[in-house]
Amino acid sequence: MAYTVLARKHRSRDFDTVVGQEPVAKTLRAAIEKDRVAHAYLFTGTRGVGKTSMARIFANALNNPGNDPALAEAIFAGNDTDVIEIDGASNNRVEEARELIANAAYRPLRGHHKVYIIDEVHMLSTAAFNALLKTMEEPPEHVKFILCTTEAQKVPATIQSRCQRFDFRNIPATRIAEHLVAVVKAEGFEADPDLIAAVARLGDGSMRDALSLLDRVMAAGETKLTTALLEQLLGLPDREVIGSLVEAIAAGDASATLAQTEALLARGSSAEQLLDTLAERFRDLMVLAACGESTELVAASGEARRSEVERAEHFDAAGLVHLIAICDAVQRSIRGSSARRALLDACVVRMALAEKFADVRHALEGAASGKA
């Protein structure tokens, strides 16, 4: 049989297994139970947060209350005759919209409703939206529309006003990590907690992105998944060397910061990757400094968390905010510069000597005020 990627294989199939969008699931389930299902819905949110999955779950709950396995499989595979999935990016012309309207008049073949799931609906042309407008306002009683989009601002207000809108949140890294642990176990692998935390963080709120990344790590053929393997696959800066760089910055050792920067670049890291990873580490330290070592806002556990707690003791939250701002500013400058290495070296030295820069600035300010 053909291999099924993790993002499809472990997709939620009912309201109870939805991860990170429980308020939406609860509301939609209640709408069905209380017979208050609207004729049109707009699901909006960033990529990979469950919009299309929720649309299929909702359609299955509407048309398959007995949860017949064969019917459910057809709906979730996009092959059911009464649940029609349309890609707005490739079916965006007015002709396709008119065909949809014409077919909507026919009653469903075996379900209670004819459900149209239009993905990436913001890609429809203005003419197509205008053609849909009247049907969406007063559709046949058996027709339900579920519109999914990552860019709600591009959906005309006239369409939005005819829909019940649900905003899908980015999924917290902790919730993604919990799901990844279950997936790893189901797939027969072992994974370091730090690897799970890193993949969840790199998912950036998207379950699909995190699962796709986990798929790449599993494809490497190792039964034990580690952060070292992840770093090799993605070309990420080595976590331990980044830790040494942070410690050199904390100690104010300019020479050591330059040596650790050279070590990271020699391993294949780019200047942008290095600064991005460094900013993320400073963010974790800032949260630990501000919230304490027991905070759940940092996705690290075990020895990795203990090491970060120790490093955080050498900084204060205000200083870390400043260091994050430096990383961001230099990262922006590097993209269009031909002196990338010079800017990067100057950046790490500046961070190591941040207190001395502050002392010089205060001295200059004091001299200026004395003259005044």
Side-chain angles (χ1 to χ4, degrees):
M1 294 178 63
Y3 175 69
T4 303
V5 298
L6 296 180
R8 292 178 55 198
K9 185 177 180 180
H10 294 276
R11 210 167 190 170
S12 300
R13 299 286 292 255
D14 56 59
F15 291 125
D16 292 330
T17 58
V18 169
V19 178
Q21 310 298 343
E22 289 82 2
V24 178
K26 180 180 178 181
T27 303
L28 295 176
R29 192 208 311 258
I32 295 173
E33 292 173 351
K34 298 181 182 299
D35 196 23
R36 297 184 64 87
V37 178
H39 64 271
Y41 292 84
L42 177 64
F43 292 172
T44 178
T46 56
R47 69 189 188 282
V49 293
K51 300 183 298 297
T52 305
S53 293
M54 188 72 79
R56 291 174 176 175
I57 291 169
F58 191 37
N60 185 59
L62 283 171
N63 271 6
N64 188 20
N67 202 26
D68 175 67
L71 180 54
E73 187 60 37
I75 290 173
F76 285 103
N79 298 325
D80 186 59
T81 54
D82 297 332
V83 179
I84 302 97
E85 293 193 26
I86 300 168
D87 176 20
S90 55
N91 297 277
N92 57 6
R93 298 178 304 165
V94 67
E95 291 81 7
E96 277 114 6
R98 287 172 178 159
E99 182 181 353
L100 183 156
I101 293 166
N103 291 334
Y106 299 106
R107 298 196 64 84
L109 295 178
R110 57 180 178 178
H112 301 286
H113 304 280
K114 181 170 280 189
V115 183
Y116 288 94
I117 300 173
I118 307 179
D119 205 7
E120 300 299 336
V121 70
H122 64 273
M123 298 291 287
L124 294 184
S125 66
T126 301
F129 273 126
N130 290 336
L132 276 176
L133 198 56
K134 185 64 176 176
T135 301
M136 287 194 62
E137 184 175 25
E138 297 178 1
E141 61 178 11
H142 59 271
V143 171
K144 306 295 179 185
F145 287 99
I146 306 175
L147 314 181
C148 303
T149 180
T150 54
E151 300 184 55
Q153 74 279 5
K154 293 185 179 181
V155 179
T158 49
I159 294 290
Q160 294 199 41
S161 67
R162 288 157 172 79
C163 300
Q164 283 193 12
R165 173 170 169 163
F166 288 88
D167 289 89
F168 285 61
R169 305 171 297 175
N170 280 4
I171 304 172
T174 52
R175 298 299 310 279
I176 293 177
E178 291 172 3
H179 187 61
L180 294 181
V181 169
V183 170
V184 168
K185 183 177 180 181
E187 294 294 317
F189 286 82
E190 293 182 34
D192 288 341
D194 292 339
L195 178 278
I196 296 294
V199 172
R201 185 173 61 252
L202 290 168
D204 195 23
S206 168
M207 183 66 78
R208 184 175 64 228
D209 286 3
L211 286 171
S212 296
L213 183 53
L214 184 63
D215 227 340
R216 288 176 61 184
V217 178
M218 288 181 175
E222 303 289 339
T223 55
K224 181 68 177 289
L225 311 179
T226 64
T227 51
L229 180 59
L230 177 67
E231 289 163 357
Q232 290 172 9
L233 288 173
L234 301 186
L236 297 175
D238 184 279
R239 183 174 180 83
E240 291 301 318
V241 182
I242 283 286
S244 298
L245 175 57
V246 170
E247 290 167 1
I249 290 170
D253 190 338
S255 175
T257 61
L258 291 171
Q260 297 301 333
T261 299
E262 171 62 27
L264 287 163
L265 294 175
R267 296 184 181 211
S269 299
S270 68
E272 291 92 335
Q273 282 180 321
L274 194 158
L275 289 169
D276 188 58
T277 303
L278 195 56
E280 286 290 338
R281 291 294 285 273
F282 285 144
R283 178 265 175 195
D284 287 349
L285 297 178
M286 177 189 69
V287 173
L288 289 168
C291 303
E293 61 182 88
S294 61
T295 179
E296 295 182 359
L297 299 177
V298 174
S301 59
E303 183 60 35
R305 177 177 280 265
R306 286 189 289 274
S307 297
E308 293 302 89
V309 169
E310 291 177 5
R311 292 186 180 110
E313 293 174 353
H314 298 287
F315 298 91
D316 57 47
L320 288 162
V321 169
H322 177 60
L323 295 179
I324 293 170
I326 292 175
C327 288
D328 179 65
V330 175
Q331 189 179 41
R332 293 171 186 270
S333 299
I334 277 179
R335 291 171 187 161
S337 174
S338 57
R340 300 157 73 88
R341 181 61 187 272
L343 289 174
L344 178 61
D345 286 346
C347 174
V348 296
V349 170
R350 179 183 177 185
M351 288 189 286
L353 304 179
E355 291 187 5
K356 293 183 179 179
F357 277 109
D359 291 341
V360 171
R361 185 175 67 251
H362 291 154
L364 291 173
E365 290 173 353
S369 61
K371 289 180 181 180

